[in-house]
Protein backbone atom coordinates (compact mmCIF):
# COMPACT_ATOMS: atom_id res chain seq x y z
CA UNK A 1 0.00 0.00 0.00
CA UNK A 2 1.43 3.35 -1.04
CA UNK A 3 0.64 6.04 1.54
CA UNK A 4 1.24 9.80 1.74
CA UNK A 5 2.82 11.01 4.97
CA UNK A 6 3.83 14.45 6.25
CA UNK A 7 7.62 14.71 6.62
CA UNK A 8 8.10 18.48 6.76
CA UNK A 9 6.27 21.45 8.20
CA UNK A 10 6.85 25.18 8.52
CA UNK A 11 4.82 28.31 9.15
CA UNK A 12 5.29 31.95 8.22
CA UNK A 13 3.44 34.36 10.45
CA UNK A 14 3.66 38.10 9.66
CA UNK A 15 4.94 39.90 12.77
CA UNK A 16 2.48 42.85 13.00
CA UNK A 17 -0.26 42.21 15.56
CA UNK A 18 -3.74 43.78 15.48
CA UNK A 19 -5.35 43.40 18.90
CA UNK A 20 -9.04 43.62 19.76
CA UNK A 21 -8.29 46.95 21.45
CA UNK A 22 -6.67 48.20 18.21
CA UNK A 23 -9.89 47.42 16.29
CA UNK A 24 -11.92 49.31 18.90
CA UNK A 25 -10.04 52.43 17.70
CA UNK A 26 -12.02 52.51 14.46
CA UNK A 27 -15.05 50.23 15.00
CA UNK A 28 -17.83 50.16 17.59
CA UNK A 29 -16.68 46.99 19.33
CA UNK A 30 -14.69 45.88 22.35
CA UNK A 31 -12.42 43.12 23.58
CA UNK A 32 -15.13 41.61 25.79
CA UNK A 33 -17.60 41.14 22.89
CA UNK A 34 -15.01 39.69 20.54
CA UNK A 35 -13.42 37.37 23.11
CA UNK A 36 -16.68 36.04 24.53
CA UNK A 37 -18.28 35.36 21.11
CA UNK A 38 -15.24 34.06 19.23
CA UNK A 39 -12.27 33.41 21.54
CA UNK A 40 -10.14 35.71 19.36
CA UNK A 41 -7.77 38.15 21.15
CA UNK A 42 -5.53 39.26 18.29
CA UNK A 43 -4.64 38.53 14.67
CA UNK A 44 -1.74 39.26 12.30
CA UNK A 45 -1.63 41.79 9.45
CA UNK A 46 0.84 41.02 6.68
CA UNK A 47 3.22 43.61 5.20
CA UNK A 48 4.23 41.21 2.39
CA UNK A 49 2.47 39.39 -0.45
CA UNK A 50 0.88 35.96 -0.13
CA UNK A 51 3.57 34.57 -2.43
CA UNK A 52 6.29 35.83 -0.08
CA UNK A 53 4.65 34.25 2.97
CA UNK A 54 4.21 31.02 0.98
CA UNK A 55 7.84 31.02 -0.10
CA UNK A 56 9.18 31.38 3.45
CA UNK A 57 6.80 28.72 4.79
CA UNK A 58 7.81 26.41 1.92
CA UNK A 59 11.53 26.84 2.59
CA UNK A 60 11.03 26.08 6.27
CA UNK A 61 8.95 22.97 5.50
CA UNK A 62 11.52 21.68 2.99
CA UNK A 63 14.37 22.17 5.49
CA UNK A 64 12.31 20.36 8.10
CA UNK A 65 11.86 17.40 5.71
CA UNK A 66 15.50 17.51 4.58
CA UNK A 67 14.26 17.64 0.98
CA UNK A 68 15.75 19.69 -1.88
CA UNK A 69 13.24 21.81 -3.79
CA UNK A 70 14.28 20.12 -7.08
CA UNK A 71 12.87 16.85 -5.75
CA UNK A 72 9.33 18.22 -5.48
CA UNK A 73 6.91 16.88 -8.09
CA UNK A 74 3.94 19.03 -7.11
CA UNK A 75 3.10 22.27 -5.32
CA UNK A 76 -0.50 22.86 -4.21
CA UNK A 77 -1.32 26.30 -2.85
CA UNK A 78 -4.62 26.39 -0.96
CA UNK A 79 -5.98 29.94 -0.83
CA UNK A 80 -8.85 32.24 -1.82
CA UNK A 81 -6.84 35.47 -1.58
CA UNK A 82 -4.27 34.90 -4.34
CA UNK A 83 -2.09 37.88 -5.31
CA UNK A 84 -2.99 37.42 -8.97
CA UNK A 85 -5.39 35.20 -10.90
CA UNK A 86 -2.93 34.44 -13.73
CA UNK A 87 -0.25 33.29 -13.15
CA UNK A 88 -1.24 31.43 -10.00
CA UNK A 89 0.45 31.73 -6.60
CA UNK A 90 1.83 28.17 -6.61
CA UNK A 91 3.92 28.97 -9.71
CA UNK A 92 5.35 32.03 -7.93
CA UNK A 93 6.48 29.84 -5.04
CA UNK A 94 7.82 27.24 -7.50
CA UNK A 95 10.00 29.90 -9.13
CA UNK A 96 11.26 31.41 -5.88
CA UNK A 97 12.21 28.13 -4.20
CA UNK A 98 13.66 26.63 -7.41
CA UNK A 99 11.29 23.66 -7.59
CA UNK A 100 12.01 23.28 -11.29
CA UNK A 101 10.59 19.75 -11.54
CA UNK A 102 7.26 20.47 -9.84
CA UNK A 103 3.80 21.06 -11.25
CA UNK A 104 2.09 23.97 -9.52
CA UNK A 105 -1.58 24.60 -8.87
CA UNK A 106 -3.82 26.70 -6.65
CA UNK A 107 -6.86 25.21 -4.93
CA UNK A 108 -9.68 27.50 -3.80
CA UNK A 109 -12.38 26.19 -1.49
CA UNK A 110 -11.98 29.17 0.88
CA UNK A 111 -11.17 28.11 4.46
CA UNK A 112 -10.95 24.41 3.56
CA UNK A 113 -8.45 24.98 0.71
CA UNK A 114 -5.53 23.40 2.59
CA UNK A 115 -7.61 20.34 3.50
CA UNK A 116 -8.84 19.92 -0.09
CA UNK A 117 -5.25 20.39 -1.28
CA UNK A 118 -3.97 17.78 1.17
CA UNK A 119 -6.50 15.19 -0.01
CA UNK A 120 -5.71 15.99 -3.66
CA UNK A 121 -1.95 15.66 -3.20
CA UNK A 122 -2.26 12.51 -1.07
CA UNK A 123 -4.49 10.87 -3.69
CA UNK A 124 -1.94 11.71 -6.40
CA UNK A 125 0.81 10.18 -4.28
CA UNK A 126 -1.23 7.03 -3.60
CA UNK A 127 -1.87 6.65 -7.32
CA UNK A 128 1.83 7.00 -8.12
CA UNK A 129 1.35 10.23 -10.10
CA UNK A 130 3.81 12.08 -7.85
CA UNK A 131 6.20 11.14 -5.03
CA UNK A 132 6.91 14.42 -3.22
CA UNK A 133 4.39 17.23 -2.83
CA UNK A 134 4.32 20.56 -1.04
CA UNK A 135 0.89 21.55 0.27
CA UNK A 136 0.55 25.16 1.38
CA UNK A 137 -2.34 26.88 3.13
CA UNK A 138 -2.05 30.65 3.17
CA UNK A 139 -4.19 33.74 3.16
CA UNK A 140 -3.72 37.49 2.81
CA UNK A 141 -7.15 38.70 3.83
CA UNK A 142 -6.41 42.11 5.33
CA UNK A 143 -6.39 44.05 2.00
CA UNK A 144 -9.71 42.37 1.08
CA UNK A 145 -11.43 42.94 4.41
CA UNK A 146 -14.27 45.45 4.77
CA UNK A 147 -12.76 47.25 7.74
CA UNK A 148 -16.00 49.26 8.20
CA UNK A 149 -18.01 46.12 9.06
CA UNK A 150 -17.65 45.05 12.68
CA UNK A 151 -19.58 41.84 11.96
CA UNK A 152 -16.63 40.39 9.98
CA UNK A 153 -13.58 42.64 10.50
CA UNK A 154 -12.96 41.26 13.99
CA UNK A 155 -12.88 37.64 12.83
CA UNK A 156 -10.06 37.29 10.28
CA UNK A 157 -6.26 37.52 10.02
CA UNK A 158 -3.31 36.78 7.71
CA UNK A 159 -0.88 33.85 7.84
CA UNK A 160 0.60 30.86 6.06
CA UNK A 161 2.03 27.38 6.60
CA UNK A 162 3.32 24.57 4.41
CA UNK A 163 3.69 20.81 4.69
CA UNK A 164 5.80 18.34 2.71
CA UNK A 165 3.94 15.16 1.79
CA UNK A 166 5.95 12.10 0.68
CA UNK A 167 5.20 8.58 -0.51
CA UNK A 168 5.80 5.77 1.98
CA UNK A 169 5.07 2.06 2.30
CA UNK A 170 4.72 2.40 6.08
CA UNK A 171 1.35 2.29 7.81
CA UNK A 172 1.12 6.05 8.31
CA UNK A 173 -0.09 9.22 6.64
CA UNK A 174 -3.52 10.15 5.32
CA UNK A 175 -5.83 7.23 6.06
CA UNK A 176 -9.26 8.67 5.20
CA UNK A 177 -10.74 11.86 3.75
CA UNK A 178 -14.21 13.26 3.41
CA UNK A 179 -14.90 16.35 1.31
CA UNK A 180 -18.31 18.00 1.09
CA UNK A 181 -20.12 21.20 0.20
CA UNK A 182 -23.52 22.77 0.97
CA UNK A 183 -23.75 24.53 -2.40
CA UNK A 184 -27.45 25.26 -1.89
CA UNK A 185 -26.63 27.85 0.78
CA UNK A 186 -23.45 29.22 -0.81
CA UNK A 187 -24.80 32.81 -0.65
CA UNK A 188 -24.68 32.92 3.17
CA UNK A 189 -20.93 33.60 2.98
CA UNK A 190 -20.16 35.80 0.02
CA UNK A 191 -17.65 38.56 -0.67
CA UNK A 192 -18.82 41.24 -3.12
CA UNK A 193 -15.96 42.99 -4.88
CA UNK A 194 -13.67 40.02 -5.56
CA UNK A 195 -13.73 38.68 -9.10
CA UNK A 196 -14.77 39.22 -12.67
CA UNK A 197 -18.46 39.92 -12.14
CA UNK A 198 -17.63 43.18 -10.36
CA UNK A 199 -15.18 44.50 -12.96
CA UNK A 200 -17.58 46.78 -14.84
CA UNK A 201 -19.79 47.76 -11.95
CA UNK A 202 -17.75 50.57 -10.49
CA UNK A 203 -16.06 48.50 -7.79
CA UNK A 204 -12.48 49.19 -6.84
CA UNK A 205 -10.66 45.86 -6.50
CA UNK A 206 -10.53 44.87 -2.86
CA UNK A 207 -13.18 47.36 -1.75
CA UNK A 208 -15.36 44.53 -0.54
CA UNK A 209 -18.73 44.05 1.08
CA UNK A 210 -19.15 40.79 2.94
CA UNK A 211 -22.44 38.92 3.19
CA UNK A 212 -21.93 36.90 6.32
CA UNK A 213 -24.89 35.20 7.99
CA UNK A 214 -22.98 34.31 11.13
CA UNK A 215 -25.54 32.16 12.91
CA UNK A 216 -26.46 30.14 9.80
CA UNK A 217 -22.77 29.62 9.00
CA UNK A 218 -22.24 28.52 12.60
CA UNK A 219 -24.97 25.86 12.41
CA UNK A 220 -23.91 24.54 9.01
CA UNK A 221 -20.25 24.48 10.06
CA UNK A 222 -20.98 22.32 13.09
CA UNK A 223 -23.19 19.88 11.16
CA UNK A 224 -20.82 19.62 8.17
CA UNK A 225 -17.65 19.12 10.19
CA UNK A 226 -19.33 16.63 12.53
CA UNK A 227 -20.60 14.60 9.58
CA UNK A 228 -17.17 14.63 7.96
CA UNK A 229 -15.44 13.61 11.21
CA UNK A 230 -17.85 10.69 11.73
CA UNK A 231 -17.30 9.51 8.15
CA UNK A 232 -13.51 9.37 8.45
CA UNK A 233 -13.69 7.70 11.86
CA UNK A 234 -16.05 5.06 10.44
CA UNK A 235 -13.85 4.59 7.37
CA UNK A 236 -10.91 3.82 9.65
CA UNK A 237 -12.93 1.64 12.01
CA UNK A 238 -12.07 4.03 14.82
CA UNK A 239 -13.95 5.60 17.70
CA UNK A 240 -13.45 8.89 19.56
CA UNK A 241 -11.06 7.28 22.06
CA UNK A 242 -8.65 6.44 19.23
CA UNK A 243 -8.18 10.12 18.38
CA UNK A 244 -5.04 11.56 19.99
CA UNK A 245 -5.51 15.14 18.80
CA UNK A 246 -8.13 17.08 16.85
CA UNK A 247 -6.64 19.84 14.71
CA UNK A 248 -9.66 21.86 13.59
CA UNK A 249 -10.18 24.97 11.46
CA UNK A 250 -9.80 27.90 13.82
CA UNK A 251 -12.71 30.23 13.04
CA UNK A 252 -14.37 30.48 16.40
CA UNK A 253 -13.77 28.78 19.75
CA UNK A 254 -17.47 28.05 20.23
CA UNK A 255 -17.65 26.22 16.89
CA UNK A 256 -14.57 24.17 17.80
CA UNK A 257 -16.08 23.24 21.16
CA UNK A 258 -19.37 22.18 19.54
CA UNK A 259 -17.63 20.00 16.92
CA UNK A 260 -15.31 18.31 19.40
CA UNK A 261 -18.22 17.61 21.75
CA UNK A 262 -20.24 16.02 18.94
CA UNK A 263 -17.23 13.90 17.98
CA UNK A 264 -17.09 12.63 21.57
CA UNK A 265 -13.54 13.93 22.13
CA UNK A 266 -12.61 16.01 25.18
CA UNK A 267 -11.21 19.54 24.68
CA UNK A 268 -7.84 18.55 26.17
CA UNK A 269 -7.34 16.48 23.01
CA UNK A 270 -8.03 19.44 20.73
CA UNK A 271 -5.47 22.00 19.56
CA UNK A 272 -6.60 25.63 19.77
CA UNK A 273 -4.73 28.79 18.72
CA UNK A 274 -7.64 30.92 17.48
CA UNK A 275 -6.96 33.43 20.29
CA UNK A 276 -3.59 34.29 18.71
CA UNK A 277 -4.49 34.57 15.04
CA UNK A 278 -8.27 34.62 14.46
CA UNK A 279 -9.57 32.98 11.32
CA UNK A 280 -6.76 32.77 8.74
CA UNK A 281 -8.99 30.76 6.41
CA UNK A 282 -6.85 28.20 4.52
CA UNK A 283 -3.89 28.79 6.85
CA UNK A 284 -5.56 27.78 10.12
CA UNK A 285 -5.16 24.00 9.99
CA UNK A 286 -1.53 23.90 8.74
CA UNK A 287 -0.48 26.63 11.20
CA UNK A 288 -2.20 24.72 14.01
CA UNK A 289 -0.45 21.54 12.90
CA UNK A 290 2.95 23.26 12.98
CA UNK A 291 2.30 24.79 16.41
CA UNK A 292 1.01 21.50 17.81
CA UNK A 293 4.35 19.94 16.79
CA UNK A 294 6.34 22.87 18.19
CA UNK A 295 4.49 22.52 21.49
CA UNK A 296 5.04 18.75 21.70
CA UNK A 297 1.33 17.98 21.36
CA UNK A 298 1.88 15.45 18.57
CA UNK A 299 3.57 12.20 19.60
CA UNK A 300 5.05 9.58 17.26
CA UNK A 301 2.28 7.55 15.53
CA UNK A 302 -0.48 9.81 16.88
CA UNK A 303 -3.91 9.67 15.25
CA UNK A 304 -4.85 13.19 14.17
CA UNK A 305 -8.33 14.27 13.15
CA UNK A 306 -8.25 17.34 10.89
CA UNK A 307 -11.47 19.15 10.03
CA UNK A 308 -12.68 22.45 8.61
CA UNK A 309 -15.41 24.41 6.83
CA UNK A 310 -15.48 27.48 4.64
CA UNK A 311 -17.13 29.48 1.87
CA UNK A 312 -19.08 27.36 -0.54
CA UNK A 313 -20.09 26.17 2.09
CA UNK A 314 -17.32 23.63 1.85
CA UNK A 315 -16.42 21.19 4.62
CA UNK A 316 -13.88 18.45 5.10
CA UNK A 317 -12.18 16.03 7.49
CA UNK A 318 -9.12 13.82 7.37
CA UNK A 319 -7.74 11.08 9.57
CA UNK A 320 -3.98 11.26 9.62
CA UNK A 321 -1.64 8.81 11.31
CA UNK A 322 1.60 10.59 12.13
CA UNK A 323 4.98 8.95 11.50
CA UNK A 324 7.89 8.42 13.87
CA UNK A 325 9.58 11.81 13.61
CA UNK A 326 8.06 14.82 15.39
CA UNK A 327 11.11 17.11 15.17
CA UNK A 328 12.58 18.90 12.13
CA UNK A 329 15.57 17.42 10.31
CA UNK A 330 16.87 20.90 9.57
CA UNK A 331 16.11 24.61 9.78
CA UNK A 332 15.92 27.20 7.04
CA UNK A 333 17.26 30.73 7.47
CA UNK A 334 14.47 32.04 5.20
CA UNK A 335 12.78 35.00 6.82
CA UNK A 336 10.47 37.90 6.01
CA UNK A 337 11.80 41.43 5.48
CA UNK A 338 11.39 43.66 8.55
CA UNK A 339 8.00 45.30 9.06
CA UNK A 340 8.14 49.05 9.66
CA UNK A 341 4.44 49.62 10.46
CA UNK A 342 2.09 48.42 13.16
CA UNK A 343 -0.97 46.30 12.36
CA UNK A 344 -3.21 49.26 13.19
CA UNK A 345 -1.27 51.58 10.85
CA UNK A 346 -1.61 49.12 7.97
CA UNK A 347 -5.36 48.71 8.52
CA UNK A 348 -5.83 52.46 8.78
CA UNK A 349 -4.04 52.69 5.43
CA UNK A 350 -6.57 50.28 3.88
CA UNK A 351 -9.46 52.25 5.37
CA UNK A 352 -8.14 55.54 3.96
CA UNK A 353 -7.45 54.06 0.51
CA UNK A 354 -10.94 52.59 0.18
CA UNK A 355 -12.84 55.44 1.75
CA UNK A 356 -15.40 56.76 -0.70
CA UNK A 357 -14.52 54.41 -3.56
CA UNK A 358 -18.02 52.93 -3.65
CA UNK A 359 -19.81 56.31 -3.85
N1 LIG B 1 -18.73 44.05 18.33
C1 LIG B 1 -19.82 44.36 19.04
N2 LIG B 1 -21.06 44.01 18.68
C2 LIG B 1 -21.20 43.32 17.55
C3 LIG B 1 -20.11 42.96 16.74
C4 LIG B 1 -18.84 43.35 17.18
N3 LIG B 1 -17.72 43.06 16.50
N4 LIG B 1 -20.55 42.26 15.68
C5 LIG B 1 -21.89 42.18 15.80
N5 LIG B 1 -22.28 42.83 16.92
C6 LIG B 1 -23.63 42.97 17.44
C7 LIG B 1 -24.68 42.86 16.38
O1 LIG B 1 -24.88 44.10 15.73
C8 LIG B 1 -25.89 42.45 17.19
O2 LIG B 1 -26.43 43.59 17.81
P1 LIG B 1 -28.02 43.75 17.98
O3 LIG B 1 -28.45 42.62 18.87
O4 LIG B 1 -28.15 45.09 18.61
O5 LIG B 1 -28.59 43.68 16.61
C9 LIG B 1 -25.29 41.57 18.30
O6 LIG B 1 -23.89 41.91 18.36
C10 LIG B 1 -25.45 40.09 18.05
O7 LIG B 1 -25.02 39.82 16.73
P2 LIG B 1 -25.05 38.37 16.15
O8 LIG B 1 -24.53 38.39 14.75
O9 LIG B 1 -26.37 37.77 16.40
O10 LIG B 1 -23.96 37.66 17.10
P3 LIG B 1 -23.64 36.13 17.22
O11 LIG B 1 -23.80 35.72 18.61
O12 LIG B 1 -24.27 35.32 16.16
O13 LIG B 1 -22.07 36.11 16.94
C11 LIG B 1 -20.52 35.59 15.18
C12 LIG B 1 -21.59 36.54 15.66
C13 LIG B 1 -20.07 36.04 13.79
C14 LIG B 1 -19.34 35.64 16.13
C15 LIG B 1 -21.09 34.14 15.15
O14 LIG B 1 -22.31 34.11 14.47
C16 LIG B 1 -20.16 33.20 14.48
O15 LIG B 1 -19.08 32.93 14.97
N6 LIG B 1 -20.54 32.63 13.34
C17 LIG B 1 -19.69 31.76 12.58
C18 LIG B 1 -18.95 32.57 11.62
C19 LIG B 1 -17.65 32.00 11.27
O16 LIG B 1 -16.88 31.59 12.08
N7 LIG B 1 -17.37 32.02 10.00
C20 LIG B 1 -16.16 31.58 9.47
C21 LIG B 1 -16.31 31.38 8.03
S1 LIG B 1 -15.03 30.34 7.44
Amino acid sequence: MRNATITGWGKCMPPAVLSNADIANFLDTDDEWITSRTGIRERRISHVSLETMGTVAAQRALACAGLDAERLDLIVFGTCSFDQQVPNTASGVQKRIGAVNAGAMDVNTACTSYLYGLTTAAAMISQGVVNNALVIGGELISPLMDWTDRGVAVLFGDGCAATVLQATDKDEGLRASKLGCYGEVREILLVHGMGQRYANRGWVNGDTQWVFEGQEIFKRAVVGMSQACQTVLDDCGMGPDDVDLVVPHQANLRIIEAVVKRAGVSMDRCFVNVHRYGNMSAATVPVALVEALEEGRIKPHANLLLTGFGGGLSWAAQMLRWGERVTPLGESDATLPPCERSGLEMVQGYLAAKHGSRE
Side-chain angles (χ1 to χ4, degrees), residues 37-354:
R37 305 275 175 136
T38 70
I40 301 166
R41 296 189 178 277
E42 57 187 41
R43 69 287 292 140
R44 301 292 175 92
I45 304 296
S46 179
H47 64 300
V48 297
S49 68
L50 180 63
E51 182 188 296
T52 298
M53 281 195 279
T55 299
V56 171
Q59 286 165 322
R60 291 175 178 169
L62 285 168
C64 174
L67 191 75
D68 290 335
E70 300 89 54
R71 290 192 54 210
L72 284 175
D73 307 305
L74 177 71
I75 299 173
V76 183
F77 203 128
T79 188
C80 63
S81 54
F82 33 79
D83 299 323
Q84 211 171 6
Q85 222 163 330
V86 178
N88 66 17
T89 313
S91 62
V93 173
Q94 190 240 29
K95 178 181 175 185
R96 287 174 65 176
I97 65 175
V100 290
N101 297 309
M105 67 180 186
D106 290 0
V107 168
N108 172 15
T109 55
C111 300
T112 56
S113 300
Y114 170 80
L115 297 176
Y116 269 63
L118 189 66
T119 292
T120 305
M124 288 171 79
I125 287 175
S126 295
Q127 288 299 308
V129 180
V130 300
N131 289 316
N132 302 318
L134 182 72
V135 185
I136 306 171
E139 222 73 77
L140 178 52
I141 298 172
S142 56
L144 301 166
M145 178 46 65
D146 179 357
W147 291 106
T148 65
D149 182 354
R150 69 178 182 173
V152 288
V154 302
L155 302 175
F156 290 88
D158 302 331
C160 191
T163 48
V164 174
L165 208 58
Q166 294 191 265
T168 180
D169 294 329
K170 293 182 194 155
D171 182 20
E172 61 185 54
L174 208 63
R175 302 183 64 194
S177 289
K178 175 66 188 167
L179 308 179
C181 183
Y182 296 133
E184 76 278 11
V185 289
R186 63 200 287 270
E187 282 80 16
I188 66 176
L189 203 180
L190 192 160
V191 184
H192 289 297
M194 280 170 80
Q196 197 91 312
R197 65 161 61 189
Y198 301 97
N200 296 318
R201 298 191 191 169
W203 289 77
V204 170
N205 185 34
D207 185 9
T208 56
Q209 266 177 349
W210 292 53
V211 176
F212 197 84
E213 295 180 27
Q215 291 181 9
E216 195 53 35
I217 298 170
F218 194 118
K219 280 185 232 157
R220 291 279 184 159
V222 172
V223 173
M225 283 194 283
S226 301
Q227 187 181 325
C229 288
Q230 194 56 54
T231 303
V232 294
L233 282 170
D234 291 347
D235 286 353
C236 295
M238 290 167 65
D241 292 346
D242 299 314
V243 176
D244 295 302
L245 193 69
V246 183
V247 184
H249 175 44
Q250 313 274 324
N252 180 317
L253 181 59
R254 292 187 302 152
I255 294 179
I256 294 172
E257 286 169 346
V259 170
V260 165
K261 190 173 173 194
R262 278 194 177 210
V265 180
S266 54
M267 272 305 279
D268 60 328
R269 283 186 285 141
C270 177
F271 188 81
V272 177
N273 62 0
V274 69
H275 50 289
R276 284 200 282 273
Y277 306 128
N279 182 352
M280 300 180 287
S281 181
T284 59
V285 172
V287 169
L289 205 53
V290 173
E291 296 198 343
L293 284 152
E294 288 170 350
E295 294 174 23
R297 297 280 305 274
I298 296 178
K299 308 291 179 209
H301 310 299
N303 289 317
L304 308 182
L305 178 59
L306 317 184
T307 188
F309 71 99
L313 280 174
S314 62
W315 43 272
Q318 277 101 0
M319 183 57 72
L320 185 69
R321 186 167 150 83
W322 201 259
E324 176 68 30
R325 185 167 56 79
V326 290
T327 51
L329 283 178
E331 278 185 21
S332 165
D333 55 10
T335 187
L336 291 179
C339 179
E340 310 294 347
R341 288 179 300 160
S342 69
L344 182 57
E345 283 168 343
M346 283 189 271
V347 169
Q348 282 169 332
Y350 291 132
L351 270 168
K354 291 175 190 177

